Amino acid sequence: GAHGEHGSARRFPPGFLWGAATAAYQVEGAVHEDGRGGSIWDTFSRTPGAVLHGDTGDVGTDHYHRVVEDVALMADLGLSAYRFSVAWPRVQPTGRGPANPAGLDFYRRLVDLLRDRGIAPLVTLYHWDLPQPLQDAGGWAERDTAWRFADYAGLVADALGDRVHLWTTLNEPWCSAYLGYASGEHAPGVQDPAQALAAVHTLNLAHGLGTRAVRAAAGDDATVSLTLNLQVNRAASDRPEDVAARDRLDRVANEVFLGPLLDGAYPEGVVAETARYSDWSFVRDGDLDLIRTRLDALGVNYYTTSLVGAVAGDAGDGALAPSASPDAADRPPADLADVTWHDRPGPRTAMGWLVEPAGLTDLLLDLHRRYPDLPLYVLENGAAYPDEVGPDGQVHDPDRVAYLHDHVEAVGRALDSGADVRGYTAWTLMDNFEWAFGYERRFGLVHVDRTTMARTVKDSGRWYRRLATTGVLPPVEGR
Ligand code: PNW
């Protein structure tokens, strides 16, 4: 097992990947350079009220111009992997047609810099920056977008397939569908559950078609994954109506992705349970065969767990559901599942997300039990805290060190129980554009000064370096 003899530190298997992750729109900046087209996030971040403080990704962390410095930083942190995303509008400025060579050149250069340093590139093909012209044509609610994605995926795999071996098609299609088209918290800011459900299906098609395109261009030995933020939903009580509510939410939030991909069907019940929003006529004959493709690995993004139950009035005995947290009550897709969110005591990050490392062990073991042959990678995990550079010029972030320690320990426990976890990429390499929260929420192992763009390795970055270079879980100092 990963745990050594009594009293000794936890050691991870040799070859386990230790990395950090970013996404193009969150770090690159340079949104008008080298022929990049506009994306839904360029449009959305310019919409008044959409993003905290009116922040945009126009500058990001200026990574596009600092890629040499940033890869040196990754090497200094001892990383064996770097997860980044390719910006679709750099490669296809309008979402269609031939590749823009300057767009591909940037990623070729990045990959070569990484490989020179012995850092494995892990490429995410879509991390939310849909070319705006494709949104104008219906976006993810329109099924043709899946075929557009496959064309784009093929162009990237043609260009990078000889030097990239780890691919993930989509990052968190839950967010694209439900935050993008139901709650409207993310681009394109649509609030229409019918479009959100159609988007789920188009995204599933995009994964299936995109996976085939990557294999055709990069070779059948490429490892192709999908990355999901599976919700770990706990029932508020063992009352049957609360358990049923949790199960409905699991179906519409998680199983709508796992089911078609790994079990060959949408979960029984979800069509009826969402019938008041959509008749699901967007699913056509043959679609499930297009979606179901060999999956070489699953990317798992994990931050927190949720406590959910039936909405008041659902209880047959007239009992009231426990009161829901006001700011969490409308987490999507609550409406679609007819559930209510419950508040719980416990430590929280600056996102308001409850810290619960055991949820990560539970999630990995549940996936391992259901799909014993499927390798797992934790491709995002991390915490936002309000870090500042102190008078000593350092960033002391003990809460993040503790968060990372406890979650890496949670991964180790899953390994002990047999889960096939191959790597972990922390979210995130450096403080960046945290979507609807702009630059205010800092998740980085490295602090970024918003004025000078200076990078300062945080205490958590130094702690992570010890982990990445030794494969042994370092203790949390002073705890
Ligand atoms: C993920 N939610 O986003 C993304 O993959 C990252 O780009 C992001 O920076 C990171 O997690 C931290 O937020 C999420 O509302 C955004 O449940 C929102 C939610 C989940 C994930």
Side-chain angles (χ1 to χ4, degrees):
H3 207 6
E5 290 307 302
H6 176 77
S8 72
R10 176 180 287 286
R11 179 179 295 280
F12 284 79
F16 192 91
L17 288 179
W18 294 108
T22 64
Y25 189 71
Q26 296 182 272
V27 298
E28 286 180 0
V31 293
H32 301 298
E33 283 175 51
D34 296 331
R36 179 186 179 278
S39 79
I40 55 175
W41 269 96
D42 296 283
T43 307
F44 186 70
S45 64
R46 283 172 174 67
T47 307
V51 175
L52 195 62
H53 309 311
D55 289 345
T56 73
D58 286 3
V59 175
T61 65
D62 199 33
H63 172 69
Y64 194 78
H65 299 123
R66 291 169 196 248
V67 62
V68 172
E69 176 194 341
D70 286 343
V71 173
L73 185 60
M74 296 173 212
D76 176 53
L77 289 172
L79 305 187
S80 49
Y82 175 51
R83 174 181 181 228
F84 63 93
S85 80
V86 173
W88 187 346
R90 286 198 194 282
V91 175
Q92 286 180 305
T94 65
R96 301 168 195 272
N100 164 35
L104 287 173
D105 284 347
F106 172 74
Y107 299 106
R108 271 199 206 93
R109 184 159 165 253
L110 170 58
V111 165
D112 289 346
L113 287 165
L114 292 168
R115 287 165 51 96
D116 286 348
R117 301 283 199 158
I119 301 170
L122 209 163
V123 171
T124 303
L125 286 163
Y126 182 72
H127 202 129
W128 308 352
D129 41 7
L130 187 74
Q132 181 62 43
L134 295 185
Q135 180 56 38
D136 299 339
W140 288 113
E142 158 57 50
R143 62 189 274 119
D144 183 59
T145 302
W147 279 263
R148 302 284 65 74
F149 174 75
D151 285 353
Y152 153 71
L155 294 174
V156 178
D158 259 334
L160 304 180
D162 58 339
R163 40 202 125 174
V164 171
H165 302 297
L166 284 167
W167 300 83
T168 202
T169 53
L170 309 174
N171 178 69
E172 301 189 351
W174 179 95
C175 290
S176 297
Y178 293 121
L179 302 181
Y181 294 86
S183 73
E185 291 161 74
H186 280 186
V190 173
Q191 297 185 344
D192 176 0
Q195 286 193 53
L197 292 169
V200 166
H201 186 60
T202 311
L203 287 154
N204 283 330
L205 284 167
H207 166 77
L209 298 169
T211 298
R212 289 179 178 83
V214 172
R215 289 213 176 100
D220 201 52
D221 55 346
T223 295
V224 188
S225 64
L226 172 69
T227 298
L228 299 176
N229 59 319
L230 296 167
Q231 292 183 356
V232 178
N233 297 313
R234 318 249 197 228
S237 77
D238 53 16
R239 295 189 315 157
E241 50 274 36
D242 286 334
V243 173
R246 191 271 318 278
D247 291 347
R248 283 195 304 275
L249 183 63
D250 275 351
R251 281 190 281 278
V252 77
N254 300 332
E255 302 304 324
V256 290
F257 300 108
L258 290 173
L261 182 64
L262 293 163
D263 307 327
Y266 280 102
E268 193 115 20
V270 78
V271 174
E273 283 155 9
T274 59
R276 66 193 182 283
Y277 297 108
S278 172
D279 62 7
W280 286 69
S281 58
F282 46 75
V283 182
R284 298 196 190 159
D285 284 352
D287 281 2
L288 287 160
D289 296 324
L290 296 178
I291 295 169
R292 195 174 194 180
T293 33
R294 188 185 89 224
L295 188 71
D296 299 316
L298 184 69
V300 175
N301 292 356
Y302 175 84
Y303 292 93
T304 189
T305 64
S306 307
L307 188 68
V308 300
V311 295
D314 273 13
D317 57 4
L320 286 180
S323 66
S325 139
D327 60 346
D330 63 347
R331 294 302 303 143
D335 294 357
L336 284 90
D338 248 323
V339 302
T340 194
W341 255 253
H342 294 249
D343 220 344
R344 256 179 311 177
R348 285 171 193 275
T349 69
M351 298 299 284
W353 298 346
L354 189 85
V355 178
E356 199 192 348
L360 179 53
T361 309
D362 295 350
L363 175 59
L364 293 169
L365 285 176
D366 181 57
L367 288 166
H368 178 64
R369 269 190 294 271
R370 291 175 64 184
Y371 310 108
D373 300 324
L374 183 64
L376 305 172
Y377 287 84
V378 177
L379 292 185
E380 282 183 31
N381 173 242
Y385 289 107
D387 311 305
E388 304 281 356
V389 180
D392 58 355
Q394 303 289 319
V395 180
H396 303 298
D397 56 342
D399 291 337
R400 183 173 295 99
V401 172
Y403 182 99
L404 293 173
H405 172 279
D406 294 352
H407 286 76
V408 171
E409 170 71 21
V411 174
R413 290 193 179 150
L415 281 166
D416 289 343
S417 299
D420 182 8
V421 188
R422 307 274 179 98
Y424 174 98
T425 58
W427 187 265
T428 174
L429 176 65
M430 53 188 156
D431 297 341
N432 59 42
F433 177 76
E434 177 46 37
W435 306 112
F437 298 93
Y439 296 97
E440 197 188 271
R441 304 285 159 88
R442 297 175 173 272
F443 277 85
L445 299 172
V446 176
H447 180 273
V448 177
D449 182 293
R450 291 305 311 157
T451 309
T452 62
M453 295 292 142
R455 277 80 162 127
T456 303
V457 177
K458 301 179 190 177
D459 286 354
S460 58
R462 272 188 286 277
W463 179 89
Y464 197 72
R465 175 197 284 137
R466 287 177 64 192
L467 171 65
T469 52
T470 63
V472 174
L473 185 66
V476 179
E477 303 295 341
R479 190 167 74 169

